Amino acid sequence: MIELINVTKAYSGKLALSGINLQVQPGQIYGILGPNGSGKTTMLKLISSIIKPTSGSIMVLGHDTVTENNVVKSITGYVPETPALYESMSIWEYLRFIASVRRVPSGQYEKRATEFLKAFELDETSSDYIGNLSFGTRQKVAIIAALIHDPQVIVLDEAMNGLDPRSSKILKDLLARIAERGKIIIFSTHIMEVAQRLCTRLSILYAGKIVDSGTFEELEKKHSEGNLEDIFLKVTGSEDLDPTVNSLAESMRE
Ligand code: ADP
Ligand code: MG
């Protein structure tokens, strides 16, 4: 499992996360929700061993993300919020490069990459340079790169953003199938409908703290709200937005 114990992260002395305790079990699809700046990316980077906690500990399948960061990176597939890819490589070259770093045997790489490119409708464009790709296409390449070595743990930071409906549907269904095989999936999203439908468990972050956690059914019952958007707005103190919209609309008429 993934376990965060009393985790704090500060950037230049300013807290981005504090008092975070979280467990994610194999087979779960865990959703991290929260407004902009609430600490989602920080949490996912900590789990993927990209950054170190200021205090507390993070264990991924029994490995400490600080002292065993190479092991954690090797068993994790991470899709960053804004993927930094090699601009001057073609899609195919880039994926082959990532696969070789990940030590995927070349036969397996060829098969997986071909399947992914076909599924995401990139088979005709696999020789295009990454530097020339649209935002959504780059996102697809980053997703393929994160999954090509069949990682035990999959971490996606707003990876659905920019995906067309076909690719988004394929990714969601694939994640559900991968979770059934006992892998761990954790992702952040602003798309409430995706979180509600796909996640087996959710945590809502607000100002660097987890303000609520549970299955959607548990949260629904607790807050007497029938959809995740309303639960989210309630928990993050944005329940009644009418006065805000009214005064905004007024200000635009003046
Ligand atoms: P989210 O992904 O939920 O939008 P982030 O984890 O990116 O939130 O950011 C949480 C807080 O930490 C924000 O206040 C942000 O400005 C700050 N922060 C994030 N990364 C850095 C960094 N590298 N240096 C300084 N502050 C950062
Ligand atoms: Mg973020």
Side-chain angles (χ1 to χ4, degrees):
M1 66 172 176
I2 298 179
E3 190 168 30
L4 283 78
I5 305 165
N6 213 5
V7 169
T8 293
K9 176 67 184 176
Y11 296 106
S12 321
K14 200 168 155 260
L15 279 177
L17 282 179
S18 63
I20 301 292
N21 290 290
L22 185 86
Q23 285 189 354
V24 190
Q25 306 293 343
Q28 275 186 338
I29 305 182
Y30 206 109
I32 304 293
L33 309 179
N36 298 129
S38 57
K40 302 179 297 298
T41 295
T42 301
M43 188 190 273
L44 298 179
K45 279 183 178 168
L46 285 167
I47 291 169
S48 313
S49 204
I50 310 290
I51 56 173
K52 294 178 185 169
T54 306
S55 65
S57 80
I58 304 155
M59 305 293 288
V60 177
L61 301 177
H63 303 285
D64 186 294
T65 57
V66 176
T67 57
E68 296 175 275
N69 75 320
N70 283 335
V71 182
V72 173
K73 280 183 181 152
S74 73
I75 57 177
T76 303
Y78 169 60
V79 182
E81 194 171 16
T82 37
L85 312 175
Y86 289 91
E87 307 284 313
S88 58
M89 281 185 183
S90 71
I91 295 177
W92 186 260
E93 283 167 346
Y94 177 70
L95 292 175
R96 195 173 51 202
F97 165 68
I98 294 295
S100 73
V101 173
R102 295 299 203 169
R103 300 185 200 287
V104 181
S106 64
Q108 210 169 44
Y109 158 72
E110 295 265 346
K111 189 162 184 294
R112 282 187 195 156
T114 306
E115 289 285 341
F116 267 113
L117 292 170
K118 208 162 76 187
F120 286 159
E121 297 182 302
L122 292 177
D123 38 349
E124 308 270 289
T125 43
S126 64
S127 55
D128 287 8
Y129 287 108
I130 293 192
N132 297 335
L133 302 178
S134 71
F135 176 75
T137 306
R138 290 174 76 99
Q139 202 70 24
K140 290 178 186 175
V141 175
I143 291 165
I144 302 171
L147 299 182
I148 197 96
H149 63 302
D150 187 26
Q152 292 297 313
V153 176
I154 298 168
V155 182
L156 308 112
D157 197 355
E158 295 185 39
M160 310 286 179
N161 293 2
L163 288 194
D164 52 62
R166 173 192 159 101
S167 305
S168 165
K169 168 90 173 115
I170 287 175
L171 179 61
K172 285 181 284 189
D173 291 354
L174 179 65
L175 292 177
R177 291 277 281 275
I178 294 174
E180 280 170 11
R181 294 184 195 157
K183 313 249 173 186
I184 298 180
I185 296 164
I186 180 162
F187 71 89
S188 70
T189 185
H190 288 302
I191 312 171
M192 295 296 128
E193 172 257 329
V194 170
Q196 183 172 329
R197 218 153 34 85
L198 195 60
C199 295
T200 54
R201 212 178 153 77
L202 301 150
S203 278
I204 302 175
L205 280 174
Y206 186 68
K209 289 188 161 60
I210 294 177
V211 289
D212 219 338
S213 290
T215 63
F216 171 64
E217 289 72 24
E218 287 166 356
L219 295 172
E220 192 181 30
K221 211 161 154 189
K222 181 172 165 188
H223 297 286
S224 312
E225 298 284 1
N227 68 72
L228 195 56
E229 182 178 53
D230 289 336
I231 294 169
F232 179 94
L233 294 174
K234 200 167 175 178
V235 169
T236 56
S238 300
E239 208 173 355
D240 186 8
L241 297 173
D242 286 349
T244 307
V245 177
N246 289 343
S247 105
L248 258 180
E250 276 311 308
S251 80
M252 292 177 69
R253 276 212 305 213
E254 279 157 15

PDB file of all heavy atoms in Angstrom, residues 9-12 14-17 32-45 51 81 157-158 188 190 205 208, ligand 1:
ATOM      1  N   LYS A   9       4.856  19.444   4.144  1.00  0.00           N
ATOM      2  CA  LYS A   9       5.779  19.943   3.125  1.00  0.00           C
ATOM      3  C   LYS A   9       5.720  21.468   3.117  1.00  0.00           C
ATOM      4  O   LYS A   9       4.642  22.060   2.988  1.00  0.00           O
ATOM      5  CB  LYS A   9       5.395  19.397   1.738  1.00  0.00           C
ATOM      6  CG  LYS A   9       6.241  19.950   0.604  1.00  0.00           C
ATOM      7  CD  LYS A   9       7.700  19.477   0.676  1.00  0.00           C
ATOM      8  CE  LYS A   9       8.547  20.128  -0.402  1.00  0.00           C
ATOM      9  NZ  LYS A   9       9.962  19.748  -0.271  1.00  0.00           N
ATOM     10  N   ALA A  10       6.889  22.072   3.256  1.00  0.00           N
ATOM     11  CA  ALA A  10       6.967  23.525   3.189  1.00  0.00           C
ATOM     12  C   ALA A  10       7.888  23.913   2.043  1.00  0.00           C
ATOM     13  O   ALA A  10       8.868  23.219   1.763  1.00  0.00           O
ATOM     14  CB  ALA A  10       7.504  24.074   4.503  1.00  0.00           C
ATOM     15  N   TYR A  11       7.542  24.971   1.333  1.00  0.00           N
ATOM     16  CA  TYR A  11       8.430  25.555   0.325  1.00  0.00           C
ATOM     17  C   TYR A  11       8.910  26.887   0.888  1.00  0.00           C
ATOM     18  O   TYR A  11       8.076  27.741   1.197  1.00  0.00           O
ATOM     19  CB  TYR A  11       7.681  25.814  -0.987  1.00  0.00           C
ATOM     20  CG  TYR A  11       7.150  24.584  -1.702  1.00  0.00           C
ATOM     21  CD1 TYR A  11       5.782  24.306  -1.693  1.00  0.00           C
ATOM     22  CD2 TYR A  11       7.998  23.729  -2.398  1.00  0.00           C
ATOM     23  CE1 TYR A  11       5.268  23.201  -2.374  1.00  0.00           C
ATOM     24  CE2 TYR A  11       7.492  22.625  -3.070  1.00  0.00           C
ATOM     25  CZ  TYR A  11       6.126  22.368  -3.060  1.00  0.00           C
ATOM     26  OH  TYR A  11       5.632  21.282  -3.729  1.00  0.00           O
ATOM     27  N   SER A  12      10.208  27.053   1.012  1.00  0.00           N
ATOM     28  CA  SER A  12      10.797  28.269   1.600  1.00  0.00           C
ATOM     29  C   SER A  12      10.063  28.683   2.880  1.00  0.00           C
ATOM     30  O   SER A  12       9.683  29.837   3.049  1.00  0.00           O
ATOM     31  CB  SER A  12      10.758  29.437   0.608  1.00  0.00           C
ATOM     32  OG  SER A  12      11.041  29.012  -0.679  1.00  0.00           O
ATOM     33  N   LYS A  14       7.126  28.122   3.813  1.00  0.00           N
ATOM     34  CA  LYS A  14       5.664  28.269   3.729  1.00  0.00           C
ATOM     35  C   LYS A  14       5.025  26.888   3.535  1.00  0.00           C
ATOM     36  O   LYS A  14       5.371  26.151   2.610  1.00  0.00           O
ATOM     37  CB  LYS A  14       5.332  29.173   2.531  1.00  0.00           C
ATOM     38  CG  LYS A  14       3.957  29.774   2.614  1.00  0.00           C
ATOM     39  CD  LYS A  14       3.760  30.887   1.576  1.00  0.00           C
ATOM     40  CE  LYS A  14       2.289  31.043   1.243  1.00  0.00           C
ATOM     41  NZ  LYS A  14       1.892  30.398  -0.015  1.00  0.00           N
ATOM     42  N   LEU A  15       4.067  26.566   4.440  1.00  0.00           N
ATOM     43  CA  LEU A  15       3.467  25.232   4.393  1.00  0.00           C
ATOM     44  C   LEU A  15       2.565  25.039   3.183  1.00  0.00           C
ATOM     45  O   LEU A  15       1.666  25.845   2.931  1.00  0.00           O
ATOM     46  CB  LEU A  15       2.631  24.996   5.653  1.00  0.00           C
ATOM     47  CG  LEU A  15       3.367  24.582   6.927  1.00  0.00           C
ATOM     48  CD1 LEU A  15       2.382  24.476   8.091  1.00  0.00           C
ATOM     49  CD2 LEU A  15       4.096  23.244   6.729  1.00  0.00           C
ATOM     50  N   ALA A  16       2.830  23.970   2.421  1.00  0.00           N
ATOM     51  CA  ALA A  16       1.940  23.624   1.318  1.00  0.00           C
ATOM     52  C   ALA A  16       1.060  22.449   1.705  1.00  0.00           C
ATOM     53  O   ALA A  16      -0.053  22.296   1.206  1.00  0.00           O
ATOM     54  CB  ALA A  16       2.750  23.278   0.074  1.00  0.00           C
ATOM     55  N   LEU A  17       1.567  21.607   2.613  1.00  0.00           N
ATOM     56  CA  LEU A  17       0.792  20.473   3.138  1.00  0.00           C
ATOM     57  C   LEU A  17       1.122  20.337   4.611  1.00  0.00           C
ATOM     58  O   LEU A  17       2.271  20.537   5.005  1.00  0.00           O
ATOM     59  CB  LEU A  17       1.199  19.170   2.448  1.00  0.00           C
ATOM     60  CG  LEU A  17       0.682  18.858   1.047  1.00  0.00           C
ATOM     61  CD1 LEU A  17       1.270  17.520   0.586  1.00  0.00           C
ATOM     62  CD2 LEU A  17      -0.841  18.811   0.979  1.00  0.00           C
ATOM     63  N   ILE A  32      -7.735  12.564  -5.504  1.00  0.00           N
ATOM     64  CA  ILE A  32      -7.358  13.717  -4.687  1.00  0.00           C
ATOM     65  C   ILE A  32      -8.017  14.945  -5.307  1.00  0.00           C
ATOM     66  O   ILE A  32      -7.712  15.318  -6.441  1.00  0.00           O
ATOM     67  CB  ILE A  32      -5.827  13.916  -4.664  1.00  0.00           C
ATOM     68  CG1 ILE A  32      -5.110  12.649  -4.174  1.00  0.00           C
ATOM     69  CG2 ILE A  32      -5.444  15.123  -3.803  1.00  0.00           C
ATOM     70  CD1 ILE A  32      -5.347  12.303  -2.728  1.00  0.00           C
ATOM     71  N   LEU A  33      -8.918  15.549  -4.547  1.00  0.00           N
ATOM     72  CA  LEU A  33      -9.608  16.738  -5.036  1.00  0.00           C
ATOM     73  C   LEU A  33      -9.169  17.932  -4.207  1.00  0.00           C
ATOM     74  O   LEU A  33      -8.677  17.772  -3.093  1.00  0.00           O
ATOM     75  CB  LEU A  33     -11.123  16.554  -4.895  1.00  0.00           C
ATOM     76  CG  LEU A  33     -11.715  15.267  -5.464  1.00  0.00           C
ATOM     77  CD1 LEU A  33     -13.218  15.231  -5.208  1.00  0.00           C
ATOM     78  CD2 LEU A  33     -11.440  15.168  -6.956  1.00  0.00           C
ATOM     79  N   GLY A  34      -9.403  19.124  -4.732  1.00  0.00           N
ATOM     80  CA  GLY A  34      -9.060  20.321  -3.966  1.00  0.00           C
ATOM     81  C   GLY A  34      -8.945  21.511  -4.893  1.00  0.00           C
ATOM     82  O   GLY A  34      -8.594  21.348  -6.064  1.00  0.00           O
ATOM     83  N   PRO A  35      -9.217  22.712  -4.373  1.00  0.00           N
ATOM     84  CA  PRO A  35      -9.098  23.914  -5.209  1.00  0.00           C
ATOM     85  C   PRO A  35      -7.650  24.132  -5.666  1.00  0.00           C
ATOM     86  O   PRO A  35      -6.738  23.481  -5.155  1.00  0.00           O
ATOM     87  CB  PRO A  35      -9.522  25.062  -4.283  1.00  0.00           C
ATOM     88  CG  PRO A  35     -10.064  24.445  -3.061  1.00  0.00           C
ATOM     89  CD  PRO A  35      -9.606  23.028  -2.997  1.00  0.00           C
ATOM     90  N   ASN A  36      -7.448  25.053  -6.578  1.00  0.00           N
ATOM     91  CA  ASN A  36      -6.090  25.411  -7.028  1.00  0.00           C
ATOM     92  C   ASN A  36      -5.267  25.810  -5.811  1.00  0.00           C
ATOM     93  O   ASN A  36      -5.743  26.545  -4.950  1.00  0.00           O
ATOM     94  CB  ASN A  36      -6.134  26.597  -8.009  1.00  0.00           C
ATOM     95  CG  ASN A  36      -6.906  26.272  -9.274  1.00  0.00           C
ATOM     96  OD1 ASN A  36      -7.795  26.994  -9.677  1.00  0.00           O
ATOM     97  ND2 ASN A  36      -6.584  25.162  -9.896  1.00  0.00           N
ATOM     98  N   GLY A  37      -4.049  25.315  -5.756  1.00  0.00           N
ATOM     99  CA  GLY A  37      -3.143  25.707  -4.671  1.00  0.00           C
ATOM    100  C   GLY A  37      -3.367  24.965  -3.363  1.00  0.00           C
ATOM    101  O   GLY A  37      -2.729  25.273  -2.357  1.00  0.00           O
ATOM    102  N   SER A  38      -4.254  23.964  -3.358  1.00  0.00           N
ATOM    103  CA  SER A  38      -4.547  23.274  -2.092  1.00  0.00           C
ATOM    104  C   SER A  38      -3.505  22.215  -1.740  1.00  0.00           C
ATOM    105  O   SER A  38      -3.519  21.677  -0.636  1.00  0.00           O
ATOM    106  CB  SER A  38      -5.948  22.660  -2.136  1.00  0.00           C
ATOM    107  OG  SER A  38      -6.068  21.775  -3.224  1.00  0.00           O
ATOM    108  N   GLY A  39      -2.628  21.869  -2.691  1.00  0.00           N
ATOM    109  CA  GLY A  39      -1.540  20.935  -2.361  1.00  0.00           C
ATOM    110  C   GLY A  39      -1.598  19.595  -3.087  1.00  0.00           C
ATOM    111  O   GLY A  39      -0.829  18.685  -2.767  1.00  0.00           O
ATOM    112  N   LYS A  40      -2.464  19.472  -4.086  1.00  0.00           N
ATOM    113  CA  LYS A  40      -2.612  18.189  -4.796  1.00  0.00           C
ATOM    114  C   LYS A  40      -1.316  17.772  -5.495  1.00  0.00           C
ATOM    115  O   LYS A  40      -0.845  16.648  -5.338  1.00  0.00           O
ATOM    116  CB  LYS A  40      -3.742  18.280  -5.849  1.00  0.00           C
ATOM    117  CG  LYS A  40      -5.090  18.652  -5.282  1.00  0.00           C
ATOM    118  CD  LYS A  40      -6.148  18.742  -6.363  1.00  0.00           C
ATOM    119  CE  LYS A  40      -5.909  19.827  -7.423  1.00  0.00           C
ATOM    120  NZ  LYS A  40      -5.880  21.213  -6.897  1.00  0.00           N
ATOM    121  N   THR A  41      -0.762  18.685  -6.277  1.00  0.00           N
ATOM    122  CA  THR A  41       0.466  18.373  -7.016  1.00  0.00           C
ATOM    123  C   THR A  41       1.595  18.038  -6.043  1.00  0.00           C
ATOM    124  O   THR A  41       2.350  17.086  -6.251  1.00  0.00           O
ATOM    125  CB  THR A  41       0.848  19.549  -7.933  1.00  0.00           C
ATOM    126  OG1 THR A  41      -0.175  19.681  -8.926  1.00  0.00           O
ATOM    127  CG2 THR A  41       2.189  19.337  -8.624  1.00  0.00           C
ATOM    128  N   THR A  42       1.681  18.803  -4.960  1.00  0.00           N
ATOM    129  CA  THR A  42       2.714  18.546  -3.951  1.00  0.00           C
ATOM    130  C   THR A  42       2.575  17.128  -3.405  1.00  0.00           C
ATOM    131  O   THR A  42       3.557  16.386  -3.310  1.00  0.00           O
ATOM    132  CB  THR A  42       2.599  19.584  -2.810  1.00  0.00           C
ATOM    133  OG1 THR A  42       2.753  20.890  -3.385  1.00  0.00           O
ATOM    134  CG2 THR A  42       3.627  19.364  -1.731  1.00  0.00           C
ATOM    135  N   MET A  43       1.347  16.732  -3.095  1.00  0.00           N
ATOM    136  CA  MET A  43       1.130  15.396  -2.547  1.00  0.00           C
ATOM    137  C   MET A  43       1.524  14.314  -3.553  1.00  0.00           C
ATOM    138  O   MET A  43       2.194  13.335  -3.205  1.00  0.00           O
ATOM    139  CB  MET A  43      -0.334  15.225  -2.143  1.00  0.00           C
ATOM    140  CG  MET A  43      -0.574  13.938  -1.387  1.00  0.00           C
ATOM    141  SD  MET A  43      -2.308  13.598  -1.180  1.00  0.00           S
ATOM    142  CE  MET A  43      -2.645  14.480   0.280  1.00  0.00           C
ATOM    143  N   LEU A  44       1.152  14.501  -4.813  1.00  0.00           N
ATOM    144  CA  LEU A  44       1.460  13.482  -5.823  1.00  0.00           C
ATOM    145  C   LEU A  44       2.958  13.422  -6.132  1.00  0.00           C
ATOM    146  O   LEU A  44       3.510  12.350  -6.368  1.00  0.00           O
ATOM    147  CB  LEU A  44       0.634  13.734  -7.092  1.00  0.00           C
ATOM    148  CG  LEU A  44      -0.890  13.647  -6.882  1.00  0.00           C
ATOM    149  CD1 LEU A  44      -1.627  13.941  -8.181  1.00  0.00           C
ATOM    150  CD2 LEU A  44      -1.308  12.280  -6.346  1.00  0.00           C
ATOM    151  N   LYS A  45       3.629  14.573  -6.060  1.00  0.00           N
ATOM    152  CA  LYS A  45       5.087  14.580  -6.253  1.00  0.00           C
ATOM    153  C   LYS A  45       5.781  13.889  -5.088  1.00  0.00           C
ATOM    154  O   LYS A  45       6.797  13.218  -5.274  1.00  0.00           O
ATOM    155  CB  LYS A  45       5.602  16.021  -6.349  1.00  0.00           C
ATOM    156  CG  LYS A  45       5.429  16.658  -7.722  1.00  0.00           C
ATOM    157  CD  LYS A  45       6.042  18.050  -7.696  1.00  0.00           C
ATOM    158  CE  LYS A  45       5.959  18.734  -9.038  1.00  0.00           C
ATOM    159  NZ  LYS A  45       6.287  20.171  -8.911  1.00  0.00           N
ATOM    160  N   ILE A  51       9.860  14.915  -4.924  1.00  0.00           N
ATOM    161  CA  ILE A  51      10.299  15.846  -3.885  1.00  0.00           C
ATOM    162  C   ILE A  51      10.252  15.127  -2.533  1.00  0.00           C
ATOM    163  O   ILE A  51       9.625  14.077  -2.409  1.00  0.00           O
ATOM    164  CB  ILE A  51       9.417  17.130  -3.837  1.00  0.00           C
ATOM    165  CG1 ILE A  51       7.929  16.780  -3.654  1.00  0.00           C
ATOM    166  CG2 ILE A  51       9.608  17.972  -5.101  1.00  0.00           C
ATOM    167  CD1 ILE A  51       7.024  17.978  -3.441  1.00  0.00           C
ATOM    168  N   GLU A  81       1.675  17.228 -14.017  1.00  0.00           N
ATOM    169  CA  GLU A  81       0.636  18.182 -14.421  1.00  0.00           C
ATOM    170  C   GLU A  81       1.004  18.835 -15.753  1.00  0.00           C
ATOM    171  O   GLU A  81       0.168  18.977 -16.637  1.00  0.00           O
ATOM    172  CB  GLU A  81       0.525  19.234 -13.314  1.00  0.00           C
ATOM    173  CG  GLU A  81      -0.687  20.099 -13.378  1.00  0.00           C
ATOM    174  CD  GLU A  81      -0.824  20.951 -12.115  1.00  0.00           C
ATOM    175  OE1 GLU A  81       0.154  21.088 -11.340  1.00  0.00           O
ATOM    176  OE2 GLU A  81      -1.919  21.485 -11.909  1.00  0.00           O
ATOM    177  N   ASP A 157      -1.494  13.384 -12.370  1.00  0.00           N
ATOM    178  CA  ASP A 157      -1.829  14.727 -11.901  1.00  0.00           C
ATOM    179  C   ASP A 157      -2.627  15.450 -12.992  1.00  0.00           C
ATOM    180  O   ASP A 157      -2.053  15.961 -13.949  1.00  0.00           O
ATOM    181  CB  ASP A 157      -0.533  15.490 -11.566  1.00  0.00           C
ATOM    182  CG  ASP A 157      -0.801  16.710 -10.696  1.00  0.00           C
ATOM    183  OD1 ASP A 157      -1.982  17.019 -10.430  1.00  0.00           O
ATOM    184  OD2 ASP A 157       0.186  17.349 -10.282  1.00  0.00           O
ATOM    185  N   GLU A 158      -3.925  15.459 -12.820  1.00  0.00           N
ATOM    186  CA  GLU A 158      -4.842  16.089 -13.781  1.00  0.00           C
ATOM    187  C   GLU A 158      -4.597  15.615 -15.218  1.00  0.00           C
ATOM    188  O   GLU A 158      -4.588  16.410 -16.155  1.00  0.00           O
ATOM    189  CB  GLU A 158      -4.759  17.616 -13.677  1.00  0.00           C
ATOM    190  CG  GLU A 158      -5.263  18.077 -12.310  1.00  0.00           C
ATOM    191  CD  GLU A 158      -5.331  19.579 -12.160  1.00  0.00           C
ATOM    192  OE1 GLU A 158      -5.705  20.245 -13.128  1.00  0.00           O
ATOM    193  OE2 GLU A 158      -5.020  20.066 -11.072  1.00  0.00           O
ATOM    194  N   SER A 188      -5.246  13.204  -9.227  1.00  0.00           N
ATOM    195  CA  SER A 188      -5.956  14.437  -8.908  1.00  0.00           C
ATOM    196  C   SER A 188      -6.791  14.819 -10.120  1.00  0.00           C
ATOM    197  O   SER A 188      -6.417  14.501 -11.262  1.00  0.00           O
ATOM    198  CB  SER A 188      -4.962  15.556  -8.608  1.00  0.00           C
ATOM    199  OG  SER A 188      -4.303  15.939  -9.800  1.00  0.00           O
ATOM    200  N   HIS A 190     -10.028  17.886 -11.433  1.00  0.00           N
ATOM    201  CA  HIS A 190     -11.074  18.876 -11.164  1.00  0.00           C
ATOM    202  C   HIS A 190     -12.388  18.414 -11.775  1.00  0.00           C
ATOM    203  O   HIS A 190     -13.394  19.110 -11.684  1.00  0.00           O
ATOM    204  CB  HIS A 190     -10.703  20.228 -11.767  1.00  0.00           C
ATOM    205  CG  HIS A 190      -9.603  20.928 -11.037  1.00  0.00           C
ATOM    206  ND1 HIS A 190      -9.677  21.246  -9.702  1.00  0.00           N
ATOM    207  CD2 HIS A 190      -8.388  21.354 -11.450  1.00  0.00           C
ATOM    208  CE1 HIS A 190      -8.566  21.847  -9.336  1.00  0.00           C
ATOM    209  NE2 HIS A 190      -7.760  21.914 -10.377  1.00  0.00           N
ATOM    210  N   LEU A 205      -8.700  18.076  -0.395  1.00  0.00           N
ATOM    211  CA  LEU A 205      -7.693  18.939   0.218  1.00  0.00           C
ATOM    212  C   LEU A 205      -8.195  20.382   0.214  1.00  0.00           C
ATOM    213  O   LEU A 205      -8.843  20.823  -0.737  1.00  0.00           O
ATOM    214  CB  LEU A 205      -6.397  18.909  -0.598  1.00  0.00           C
ATOM    215  CG  LEU A 205      -5.431  17.738  -0.423  1.00  0.00           C
ATOM    216  CD1 LEU A 205      -4.301  17.868  -1.435  1.00  0.00           C
ATOM    217  CD2 LEU A 205      -4.875  17.707   0.988  1.00  0.00           C
ATOM    218  N   GLY A 208      -3.902  22.846   2.093  1.00  0.00           N
ATOM    219  CA  GLY A 208      -2.834  21.973   2.563  1.00  0.00           C
ATOM    220  C   GLY A 208      -3.224  20.915   3.579  1.00  0.00           C
ATOM    221  O   GLY A 208      -2.366  20.218   4.106  1.00  0.00           O
TER     222      GLY A 208
HETATM  223  P1  ADP B   1      -2.464  22.248  -6.428  1.00  0.00           P
HETATM  224  O1  ADP B   1      -1.828  21.192  -7.255  1.00  0.00           O
HETATM  225  O2  ADP B   1      -3.548  21.738  -5.542  1.00  0.00           O
HETATM  226  O3  ADP B   1      -2.942  23.404  -7.255  1.00  0.00           O
HETATM  227  P2  ADP B   1       0.232  22.740  -5.438  1.00  0.00           P
HETATM  228  O4  ADP B   1       0.659  21.501  -4.727  1.00  0.00           O
HETATM  229  O5  ADP B   1       0.770  22.960  -6.793  1.00  0.00           O
HETATM  230  O6  ADP B   1      -1.364  22.823  -5.418  1.00  0.00           O
HETATM  231  O7  ADP B   1       0.610  24.000  -4.547  1.00  0.00           O
HETATM  232  C1  ADP B   1       0.348  24.077  -3.168  1.00  0.00           C
HETATM  233  C2  ADP B   1       0.978  25.346  -2.621  1.00  0.00           C
HETATM  234  O8  ADP B   1       2.387  25.249  -2.659  1.00  0.00           O
HETATM  235  C3  ADP B   1       0.623  26.606  -3.402  1.00  0.00           C
HETATM  236  O9  ADP B   1       0.504  27.661  -2.491  1.00  0.00           O
HETATM  237  C4  ADP B   1       1.822  26.804  -4.310  1.00  0.00           C
HETATM  238  O10 ADP B   1       1.998  28.156  -4.626  1.00  0.00           O
HETATM  239  C5  ADP B   1       2.956  26.282  -3.441  1.00  0.00           C
HETATM  240  N1  ADP B   1       4.055  25.700  -4.245  1.00  0.00           N
HETATM  241  C6  ADP B   1       3.973  24.630  -5.044  1.00  0.00           C
HETATM  242  N2  ADP B   1       5.162  24.337  -5.609  1.00  0.00           N
HETATM  243  C7  ADP B   1       6.030  25.274  -5.143  1.00  0.00           C
HETATM  244  C8  ADP B   1       7.424  25.511  -5.339  1.00  0.00           C
HETATM  245  N3  ADP B   1       8.154  24.732  -6.136  1.00  0.00           N
HETATM  246  N4  ADP B   1       7.969  26.576  -4.711  1.00  0.00           N
HETATM  247  C9  ADP B   1       7.231  27.361  -3.891  1.00  0.00           C
HETATM  248  N5  ADP B   1       5.927  27.177  -3.650  1.00  0.00           N
HETATM  249  C10 ADP B   1       5.313  26.149  -4.265  1.00  0.00           C
END
